[in-house]
Structures are given as structure tokens and as C-alpha cells.
């Protein structure tokens, strides 16, 4: 099963407590997800660090343009 993380955010006052990591891990457990798919901007170091801490690896780069 796949878990797709479309968007996740933590209030700045609550960051650094592992909340996002626990949320993603819990969702993966509940849905028995063996693969997690997530996207973020290449310069979003916090998100990239979070995903890497969960064992995720970069598999594809895409360019997305927003209006």
C-alpha cells in the first residue's frame, strides 16, 4: 500500500518536537503503507530532512509551476 503526503505543516511554535514525523509514521502504520510518496520544494530543507529521517530517498525531480 502507498501513503501519499500531499501537504503537512506544523505551527512554528510547535516545531522541533517530532510531531510531523510521528504523524506520518502513525498514518503509515494505520494504513499498512510499505511505500510513502511525498513532494516538496527543493529548497525546503526542513521537509527534506524530515523525509530522509523517515528513510525516504529522492527518486524523481519534477518542475511544477504555480499561478
Amino acid at each position: 500500500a502507498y501513503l501519499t503526503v500531499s501537504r503537512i505543516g506544523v505551527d512554528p511554535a510547535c516545531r522541533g518536537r517530532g510531531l510531523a514525523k510521528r504523524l506520518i509514521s502513525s498514518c503509515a502504520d494505520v494504513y499498512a503503507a510499505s511505500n510513502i510518496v511525498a513532494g516538496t520544494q527543493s529548497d525546503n530543507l526542513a521537509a527534506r530532512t524530515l523525509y530522509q529521517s523517515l528513510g525516504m530517498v529522492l527518486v524523481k525531480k519534477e518542475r511544477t509551476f504555480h499561478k
Side-chain angles (χ1 to χ4, degrees), residues 18-31:
L19 298 173
K21 186 173 186 175
R22 290 198 314 254
L23 177 60
I24 293 171
S25 294
S26 294
C27 289
D29 290 345
V30 166
Y31 292 104

Side-chain angles (χ1 to χ4, degrees), residues 41-52:
Q41 296 172 330
S42 59
D43 64 347
N44 189 335
L45 183 59
R48 291 174 52 205
T49 301
L50 167 65
Y51 298 144
Q52 288 171 349

Side-chain angles (χ1 to χ4, degrees):
Y2 284 86
L3 171 67
T4 301
V5 178
S6 297
R7 190 173 295 203
I8 188 167
V10 174
D11 186 289
C14 298
R15 290 182 183 158
R17 299 180 190 176
L19 298 173
K21 186 173 186 175
R22 290 198 314 254
L23 177 60
I24 293 171
S25 294
S26 294
C27 289
D29 290 345
V30 166
Y31 292 104
S34 55
N35 293 294
I36 303 173
V37 177
T40 189
Q41 296 172 330
S42 59
D43 64 347
N44 189 335
L45 183 59
R48 291 174 52 205
T49 301
L50 167 65
Y51 298 144
Q52 288 171 349
S53 75
L54 289 162
M56 299 170 74
V57 295
L58 176 66
V59 294
K60 178 173 58 171
K61 282 188 174 185
E62 294 180 343
R63 285 187 174 238
T64 303
F65 298 94
H66 303 278
K67 282 188 174 186

